Amino acid sequence: MRRRGLDFRRPVRKRFPNVVWWTVCGILVLVLIVVLSREGQIESKPTISRKPYRRDRIMEGVTVTDEMLSSNSVTRQLTDQISLAKAFVVIAKESNNLQFAWELSAQIRNSQALLSNAATRRTPLTVGESETAIRDMALLLYQAQQLHYDSATMLMRLRAKIQTLEEQMSSANEKSSKYGQIAAEEVPKSLYCLGVRLTTEWLGNPNLQKKHRERKQMDAKLKDNSMYHFCIFSDNILASSVVVNSTALNSKNPDKIVFHLVTDEINYAAMKAWFTVNSFRGVTVEVQKFEDFKWLNASYVPVLKQLQDSETQSYYFSGHNDDGRTPIKFRNPKYLSMLNHLRFYIPEVYPALKKVVFLDDDIVVQKDLSGLFSIDLNGNVNGAVETCMETFHRYHKYLNYSHPLIRAHFDPDACGWAFGMNVFDLVEWRKRNVTGIYHYWQERNVDRTLWKLGTLPPGLLTFYGLTEALDPSWHVLGLGYTNVDPQLIEKGAVLHFNGNSKPWLKIGIEKYKPLWEKYVDYSHPLLQQCNFH
């Protein structure tokens, strides 16, 4: 075979040694790794910055150490075992495997002792001292799994246990509410004693009756609209006395104050005796009984006819006609008292008056209230403090919005307001026939389908669009059932012990009782005789 000429030969390809190639490839790989690692660092910066924050958030609620956060921590492993073992103890007891439950409990105590000793000496547990406890607990947990105490079974049984506990808690709450309501409805022996002694004093002391008649004849203030007129409807002598006394002691002009007090036949003599014997810085007090009001009859007052109905009385007193579906607080027999409904007939009770401040008997006055009579109600009838700071104080909480009549006339999110300290413009009341509005709604609630609880729901309906919001400091609520901001109490003009925990009862909230008790003269002979203290 002939060889090609020199000019026509292919040039020989010079090959790099293998070492050089591998070196170049290695350099390229290293460069790539460096670039990627830098990008990874840039992307991971936010995550790194969040770690301390996350640990801080954990440590806010739980005492956590670095040793416990370590993935290799024997303390953490021991703690997890204890938590799981406690769940298995519950299941073992429910399965009547008491021996195994005892063994688990004993091992839990052993592990807890190790953790306690480590915490006391402030050094982490070592593998050596915890190894036996971890191994023994692991064996027991494995045995639990062999006994079919697996996760699914455990979850199912724990759910059943939670449901049982919830039912027990619901039952306990219901009983607590029931007994609390019963306690709130009871008349303390001391109050009963005071009423009996005052009645005896009134009936057996002609001079006391004469003094009362003379005072009543002298009081031209009762119809004088330049006076500050307050009204109370109550059968509680001492509570009414506290309202009058606290108002008088905090008034700049007590001689301009007139209290119109209406009670019932049973307490009428006792009330007259108490307010004749005692003087309240020159405050004028008128005592009446509602049985004397000629206009108060079933033909004019729908609620009176309802209160006299045997089915209604059975509803409030027996509670057996709806299988217990209605909470006991809706069945308070006080709702059968006409004293509770007289607030809707104030113009009829006081036909000569133009403006009245209505006060409940479970309040304390700690500021001068004369400013209430100069408040401009802007053409409204009722001046009241609104209670719509939370949703449960809006109209939908008190009224049945499944009823078309309620749904068609009232905004469910309208602000509720409080009875207990209300300014009533009686001129506007009469002009707008507010009592007629009240009658309209009462007649449509004979079957209790519009509302069930007390006098506030019909009040919300009656004064809808006719209520002027007052500054909240005029009326502070909640002292009879909840904790109240001390600053609100300090600034409040009227403090309301609404709720079951009245200050004259043993179930009264102890920290609020002094606010009420400082207006009771416990040195009074009658109070001492009736064991008031």
Side-chain angles (χ1 to χ4, degrees):
M1 182 176 176
R2 289 183 63 185
R3 299 182 65 188
R4 294 185 182 182
L6 186 61
D7 295 336
F8 298 97
R9 293 178 187 174
R10 274 183 269 178
V12 177
R13 190 177 294 169
K14 295 181 180 181
R15 296 180 181 179
F16 289 101
N18 289 338
V19 175
V20 175
W21 278 107
W22 283 113
T23 301
V24 172
C25 290
I27 292 170
L28 292 173
V29 169
L30 286 173
V31 170
L32 184 62
I33 290 172
V34 170
V35 171
L36 290 175
S37 65
R38 285 181 179 177
E39 290 179 356
Q41 287 175 359
I42 293 171
E43 291 178 358
S44 64
K45 280 181 182 179
T47 306
I48 293 172
S49 65
R50 282 197 298 266
K51 284 183 180 178
Y53 170 75
R54 187 178 177 188
R55 181 178 296 183
D56 291 343
R57 289 299 298 272
I58 293 172
M59 294 179 71
E60 283 178 8
V62 184
T63 303
V64 180
T65 62
D66 290 334
E67 194 259 340
M68 288 179 68
L69 292 174
S70 170
S71 59
N72 299 320
S73 167
V74 292
T75 299
R76 182 178 176 182
Q77 187 175 353
L78 207 56
T79 304
D80 291 344
Q81 283 187 330
I82 290 171
S83 299
L84 187 57
K86 285 180 177 179
F88 285 142
V89 167
V90 174
I91 297 173
K93 287 181 178 178
E94 289 184 348
S95 303
N96 205 29
N97 193 347
L98 302 182
Q99 176 62 31
F100 184 61
W102 181 86
E103 291 176 6
L104 274 172
S105 299
Q107 189 56 45
I108 288 171
R109 289 192 295 272
N110 182 37
S111 298
Q112 287 175 333
L114 284 175
L115 293 173
S116 178
N117 291 335
T120 302
R121 68 173 188 250
R122 297 188 178 183
T123 56
L125 277 174
T126 62
V127 175
E129 60 186 338
S130 61
E131 183 178 7
T132 303
I134 291 175
R135 186 184 66 252
D136 292 346
M137 183 68 85
L139 288 172
L140 285 173
L141 295 177
Y142 176 75
Q143 186 178 349
Q145 292 177 352
Q146 295 301 108
L147 291 169
H148 303 290
Y149 297 166
D150 54 18
S151 299
T153 305
M154 184 173 69
L155 286 172
M156 182 177 66
R157 293 193 179 185
L158 286 177
R159 282 173 183 165
K161 186 72 174 178
I162 289 170
Q163 184 177 356
T164 303
L165 290 174
E166 286 177 346
E167 290 173 355
Q168 291 174 355
M169 183 177 69
S170 176
S171 175
N173 287 339
E174 185 177 349
K175 288 179 180 178
S176 175
S177 175
K178 179 178 180 180
Y179 296 142
Q181 188 70 46
I182 292 171
E185 293 170 12
E186 291 295 321
V187 178
K189 291 180 181 179
S190 53
L191 272 179
Y192 179 78
C193 167
L194 180 62
V196 170
R197 288 184 178 273
L198 284 168
T199 302
T200 303
E201 179 71 16
W202 177 261
L203 297 176
N205 190 341
N207 291 329
L208 192 61
Q209 297 182 28
K210 182 180 178 182
K211 183 180 178 181
H212 175 75
R213 285 194 298 269
E214 289 174 351
R215 180 183 293 183
K216 188 174 182 180
Q217 290 173 359
M218 293 171 60
D219 286 333
K221 298 178 180 179
L222 298 178
K223 299 179 180 180
D224 185 350
N225 281 292
S226 67
M227 299 289 109
Y228 303 134
H229 293 272
F230 298 87
C231 64
I232 308 173
F233 307 132
S234 174
D235 58 2
N236 189 319
I237 300 165
L238 194 62
S240 301
S241 177
V242 167
V243 177
V244 174
N245 193 31
S246 62
T247 305
L249 290 174
N250 291 290
S251 174
K252 296 176 182 177
N253 299 292
D255 58 315
K256 291 193 66 176
I257 291 177
V258 180
F259 266 96
H260 304 267
L261 200 155
V262 180
T263 188
D264 54 18
E265 181 75 46
I266 297 173
N267 295 280
Y268 181 53
M271 286 279 194
K272 286 190 294 184
W274 181 261
F275 287 102
T276 302
V277 169
N278 296 287
S279 175
F280 300 92
R281 294 187 65 206
V283 169
T284 301
V285 181
E286 176 194 30
V287 179
Q288 298 174 277
K289 57 179 178 179
F290 71 81
E291 288 87 351
D292 288 340
F293 299 151
K294 303 300 181 184
W295 50 266
L296 192 58
N297 52 69
S299 61
Y300 176 64
V301 181
V303 72
L304 188 59
K305 185 177 180 180
Q306 294 173 24
L307 297 180
Q308 294 171 349
D309 180 63
S310 59
E311 184 182 344
T312 301
Q313 292 181 1
S314 175
Y315 174 83
Y316 282 108
F317 282 106
S318 68
H320 298 313
N321 55 352
D322 73 341
D323 300 323
R325 292 190 301 271
T326 305
I328 188 171
K329 69 177 182 178
F330 293 171
R331 298 180 174 278
N332 194 332
K334 76 175 184 179
Y335 301 137
L336 290 176
S337 172
M338 194 61 215
L339 290 172
N340 204 43
H341 299 271
L342 275 182
R343 63 193 68 190
F344 296 104
Y345 297 95
I346 293 176
E348 283 83 352
V349 180
Y350 312 111
L353 299 183
K354 295 181 179 179
K355 183 171 282 190
V356 166
V357 171
F358 166 78
L359 296 176
D360 265 336
D361 63 1
D362 55 351
I363 64 102
V364 162
V365 177
Q366 58 177 15
K367 307 279 185 184
D368 178 64
L369 299 184
S370 59
L372 289 170
F373 293 86
S374 59
I375 291 177
D376 185 1
L377 297 182
N378 297 310
N380 288 305
V381 176
N382 173 30
V385 169
E386 291 183 335
T387 57
C388 57
M389 289 74 73
E390 294 86 12
T391 56
F392 56 83
H393 282 143
R394 296 183 185 272
Y395 268 52
H396 65 78
K397 177 64 178 178
Y398 303 100
L399 305 173
N400 178 19
Y401 272 86
S402 65
H403 197 289
L405 200 57
I406 295 293
R407 199 165 55 246
H409 288 85
F410 303 99
D411 177 6
D413 291 322
C415 288
W417 46 266
F419 267 131
M421 197 291 297
N422 304 80
V423 183
F424 289 121
D425 184 334
L426 303 186
V427 176
E428 284 294 326
W429 185 314
R430 298 181 185 101
K431 186 187 300 182
R432 293 171 180 261
N433 190 25
V434 172
T435 302
I437 298 173
Y438 169 68
H439 286 169
Y440 173 85
W441 290 111
Q442 278 290 355
E443 288 167 352
R444 278 149 187 78
N445 194 46
V446 175
D447 55 359
R448 295 181 295 276
T449 55
L450 303 186
W451 73 84
K452 291 184 178 180
L453 175 62
T455 52
L456 181 57
L460 296 176
L461 300 181
T462 302
F463 295 101
Y464 185 72
L466 300 173
T467 299
E468 180 73 12
L470 302 181
D471 188 286
S473 64
W474 280 114
H475 188 188
V476 176
L477 297 111
L479 281 77
Y481 73 94
T482 189
N483 288 317
V484 182
D485 187 343
Q487 291 184 348
L488 292 179
I489 292 176
E490 184 179 354
K491 295 177 181 178
V494 170
L495 306 181
H496 198 165
F497 290 82
N498 56 313
N500 285 337
S501 302
K502 305 300 184 188
W504 56 85
L505 299 175
K506 289 183 178 179
I507 61 172
I509 301 174
E510 289 296 329
K511 65 179 178 179
Y512 297 141
K513 279 188 176 183
L515 297 169
W516 185 85
E517 290 177 333
K518 68 180 180 179
Y519 296 106
V520 179
D521 181 10
Y522 288 107
S523 65
H524 195 287
L526 282 174
L527 297 188
Q528 289 189 341
Q529 290 170 23
C530 291
N531 198 29
F532 280 95
H533 52 77

